[in-house]
Amino acid sequence: MSNKRVNKMLRIGSCLGLIAAIFSVAALPGMNVAVHAEENKVEPVKQDNLDETAIEATKDILNSDSVSTEDINEFEQSLTEKVQNKEIQKEPVQFSGSSEPVVEDNKVTVTVVTEFYNRDGSLNKESGGISTYTRTPGTSFNVSTAIYKRGWILESETVTGMVDTNPNNYKAEGIIGNDDIMIKYVWREDNIGPDGQADKIPDQYQIKVSYDVVNGTWNDGTTNTVNKVYTLTDSEGNPSDQGTARAQLPSVGNKPNESFTRGSWQSGMKYTLTKEDDGSNFVYTYAPAKNVTVITEFYNRDGSLSTVKGGTSTYTRAIGSTIDFGTATYNRGWILESETVTGMVDTNPNNYRAQGTVGNEDITIKYVWREDNIGPDGQADKIPDQYQIKVTYDVVNGTWNDGTNDTIYKVYTLFDENGDPSQDGTVKHELPEVGNAPLEGYTIGEWSSNIEYELTHKDDEAHFTYTYSVISDTDVKPSKPSDTENPKNESTVKETKTENKVVNTAYSTNVLSVLGLFMLSLAGMLFGVVKKYLK
């Protein structure tokens, strides 16, 4: 056989080998082609088209007397064009388990189940299905599901009857043994999330809740409806349509409209949500309100308003709500004089706390404090200093009747005609007892000229003095005794107090002495007459 003939036979053999390869491709299992075709968007080629193209190509080769290299190249190009120019018939992947597969000897059954679950938990009727294959034990097997399918998320992949050597849930791989194989993919709908888009958490385990605000805004100043998506979880923290979720409420309450105040969420508001709350709408409503003005005034001892303490605060309170406004029950150096409430009935008799229910009127609560640092014992006495005066008393040329001569301090409270403490009131003196203890050479004296029967506020810090009077020479007239044996005839001077006047008693003493001598002489004469008569 010539070399030329040999070369021709080799080239024909090569062409036949190419045709055999095409037949081999055509004989591959339909499911693998279909699954990958769906994933990579490549349309399947019908078996009859491949067979027809391959037969026509073979005929072309066999009818040729000689085949050159150029002929082979032309043949390959022609074969490719014929395959590509054939009409492509689109055949979608078919899942069917209605008929029993034909199981050959030494074959196992491979079942692939794909399930798609809607948001409500129901099985989707348009996606998914069941496919069954037969495979020879000992061979490798590779089946995958779409890595990405818009609107769905792969929740699980389970494989039984074969060890799955691929950790990726989207692909099952392994060596076929002698057991039938079951591969199951479970997809769940995923179209919602906190940002309004899929969040890779099945919608079946989530709920949508909305929030609105009335008579004001959210604390950020907006009024838009707030939509929330909550994921329900079980006690282990895993997503579950039987689980619960903690509500995350919008921040609200600080931005009421005018004449409104902090309100409340509607009755039925829930802080723990379940599946039954899906689609719920909750509303926060600011309440109609009235102004509550609290005035606190502190007055100094001189009656002036303190610039350091006190002030005015204004609040809004919902109509029908209860209020409880108190002031400090103890404020060192001050005493609460009064609490007045207008626009509301004060139900608490204690001056230190105003309580009641807000009605349809604005409310004013006024507390008046007054300085209280002085008292009879030198300390606060729970009487405002503004209604009190301080007075001092001193004694000169003697002592108080109790023998002391210390300055005496007195604090007097002024009262009006009704007996109430008043800055314009009056008070009587409580004078120290004095006048019975002069020093030697002094006698009963008198109070300073500025003393008056009643004290008023102008007498604050006044000083009053009692002064014993000096005994003068004109007030003392001693009598000379007739002899040294009759010292008792000596005149003495005594001072008595009569209507604050000093009276000299020396003259009265001399008259009594003369009268006594006259009576003695008369007695002597009578004695002589009686004696003569008896003789």
Side-chain angles (χ1 to χ4, degrees):
M1 184 180 296
S2 65
N3 291 335
K4 183 176 181 180
R5 183 66 174 177
V6 171
N7 289 334
K8 180 178 180 180
M9 293 299 291
L10 289 174
R11 291 178 180 179
I12 292 172
S14 299
C15 291
L16 293 176
L18 177 60
I19 294 170
I22 292 173
F23 275 102
S24 298
V25 171
L28 288 175
M31 178 56 188
N32 284 350
V33 174
V35 171
H36 290 284
E38 179 181 297
E39 178 181 340
N40 299 315
K41 305 303 180 183
V42 177
E43 301 293 347
V45 180
K46 194 171 182 180
Q47 183 71 41
D48 294 341
N49 293 337
L50 288 175
D51 293 344
E52 181 181 352
T53 303
I55 292 171
E56 290 179 358
T58 304
K59 289 180 180 180
D60 291 341
I61 295 173
L62 295 177
N63 292 334
S64 177
D65 294 333
S66 62
V67 179
S68 63
T69 301
E70 295 179 356
D71 294 334
I72 295 299
N73 293 337
E74 182 179 352
F75 164 72
E76 292 175 350
Q77 182 177 358
S78 174
L79 178 60
T80 302
E81 291 176 353
K82 289 180 179 181
V83 172
Q84 292 177 345
N85 290 335
K86 288 296 181 180
E87 181 181 358
I88 304 300
Q89 298 185 17
K90 298 180 180 179
E91 294 184 357
V93 178
Q94 298 294 325
F95 296 96
S96 175
S98 59
S99 59
E100 293 293 333
V102 178
V103 180
E104 301 177 13
D105 294 339
N106 298 326
K107 299 287 185 179
V108 297
T109 300
V110 179
T111 303
V112 179
V113 180
T114 305
E115 295 177 344
F116 288 82
Y117 289 91
N118 301 313
R119 181 169 181 260
D120 62 3
S122 62
L123 187 64
N124 188 280
K125 298 179 179 179
E126 298 178 0
S127 300
I130 300 175
S131 297
T132 305
Y133 314 93
T134 56
R135 291 292 185 267
T136 303
T139 60
S140 61
F141 184 77
N142 183 328
V143 61
S144 64
T145 185
I147 295 178
Y148 177 77
K149 190 171 179 65
R150 183 178 297 276
W152 303 87
I153 185 168
L154 181 62
E155 182 182 57
S156 65
E157 172 199 86
T158 55
V159 179
T160 57
M162 177 185 76
V163 177
D164 184 7
T165 59
N166 194 323
N168 190 332
N169 272 355
Y170 291 95
K171 193 168 189 177
E173 293 181 321
I175 303 299
I176 296 176
N178 295 319
D179 297 327
D180 289 339
I181 299 170
M182 170 70 75
I183 301 173
K184 184 176 181 179
Y185 295 102
V186 175
W187 293 80
R188 295 193 185 273
E189 187 175 356
D190 180 26
N191 286 296
I192 65 172
D195 299 324
Q197 298 179 343
D199 58 357
K200 296 185 179 181
I201 299 175
D203 298 343
Q204 184 176 339
Y205 308 139
Q206 295 180 312
I207 60 174
K208 292 190 294 184
V209 174
S210 60
Y211 300 94
D212 281 301
V213 62
V214 176
N215 299 332
T217 71
W218 305 116
N219 285 354
D220 62 5
T222 63
T223 58
N224 297 332
T225 298
V226 176
N227 295 300
K228 292 275 190 178
V229 173
Y230 295 104
T231 299
L232 306 176
T233 56
D234 59 19
S235 59
E236 302 295 328
N238 300 316
S240 169
D241 53 5
Q242 301 301 313
T244 61
R246 182 69 177 173
Q248 299 173 354
L249 304 180
S251 181
V252 69
N254 296 338
K255 294 292 181 70
N257 291 339
E258 186 176 357
S259 299
F260 290 88
T261 187
R262 183 181 294 273
S264 60
W265 290 98
Q266 67 185 68
S267 59
M269 168 67 190
K270 290 186 176 180
Y271 294 92
T272 300
L273 303 171
T274 62
K275 190 73 173 179
E276 67 180 11
D277 297 309
D278 187 31
S280 295
N281 176 257
F282 300 108
V283 179
Y284 181 92
T285 303
Y286 285 95
K290 291 297 176 181
N291 291 329
V292 179
T293 303
V294 180
I295 302 172
T296 305
E297 295 177 345
F298 287 81
Y299 289 91
N300 302 312
R301 181 167 182 260
D302 62 3
S304 63
L305 186 64
S306 174
T307 58
V308 178
K309 299 178 69 65
T312 301
S313 299
T314 302
Y315 311 89
T316 55
R317 290 293 183 270
I319 295 175
S321 65
T322 58
I323 65 171
D324 186 344
F325 280 100
T327 184
T329 55
Y330 178 78
N331 207 329
R332 184 180 294 276
W334 303 87
I335 181 78
L336 181 63
E337 181 183 60
S338 65
E339 171 198 88
T340 56
V341 180
T342 58
M344 176 189 76
V345 176
D346 184 8
T347 58
N348 193 325
N350 188 333
N351 271 354
Y352 290 95
R353 186 172 298 279
Q355 293 176 319
T357 302
V358 179
N360 295 317
E361 299 179 21
D362 289 336
I363 300 169
T364 299
I365 302 172
K366 185 175 182 179
Y367 296 102
V368 175
W369 293 79
R370 296 191 186 273
E371 188 175 355
D372 179 25
N373 286 295
I374 64 174
D377 298 326
Q379 297 179 343
D381 59 356
K382 297 185 179 181
I383 299 175
D385 298 344
Q386 185 176 342
Y387 308 139
Q388 294 179 312
I389 60 174
K390 292 189 296 183
V391 173
T392 56
Y393 300 96
D394 274 308
V395 63
V396 177
N397 299 331
T399 69
W400 308 114
N401 285 354
D402 63 3
T404 64
N405 62 358
D406 296 334
T407 297
I408 293 177
Y409 296 87
K410 289 276 188 178
V411 174
Y412 292 106
T413 299
L414 307 176
F415 295 94
D416 61 18
E417 59 186 6
N418 297 319
D420 298 322
S422 170
Q423 188 175 6
D424 298 324
T426 61
V427 66
K428 294 180 179 181
H429 280 284
E430 295 176 2
L431 297 176
E433 293 185 1
V434 68
N436 295 338
L439 295 178
E440 185 177 357
Y442 293 88
T443 186
I444 296 172
E446 59 185 8
W447 286 99
S448 51
S449 61
N450 65 335
I451 196 166
E452 295 183 4
Y453 178 73
E454 288 184 331
L455 297 167
T456 64
H457 204 275
K458 67 180 180 60
D459 295 310
D460 187 31
E461 303 293 343
H463 182 74
F464 302 103
T465 304
Y466 181 88
T467 304
Y468 284 95
S469 299
V470 178
I471 300 175
S472 66
D473 293 338
T474 59
D475 293 333
V476 180
K477 294 181 179 180
S479 60
K480 295 181 180 180
S482 57
D483 52 52
T484 58
E485 295 179 356
N486 190 24
K488 293 183 178 180
N489 292 329
E490 184 177 331
S491 298
T492 59
V493 178
K494 296 183 180 178
E495 291 184 344
T496 60
K497 179 182 178 184
T498 304
E499 295 182 355
N500 293 331
K501 294 182 180 180
V502 178
V503 179
N504 194 329
T505 61
Y507 177 77
S508 299
T509 303
N510 292 332
V511 173
L512 291 175
S513 298
V514 172
L515 183 60
L517 290 174
F518 173 77
M519 293 298 293
L520 287 174
S521 297
L522 182 60
M525 292 175 65
L526 290 174
F527 180 75
V529 172
V530 172
K531 184 176 180 181
K532 183 178 179 181
Y533 176 78
L534 291 175
K535 287 181 177 181

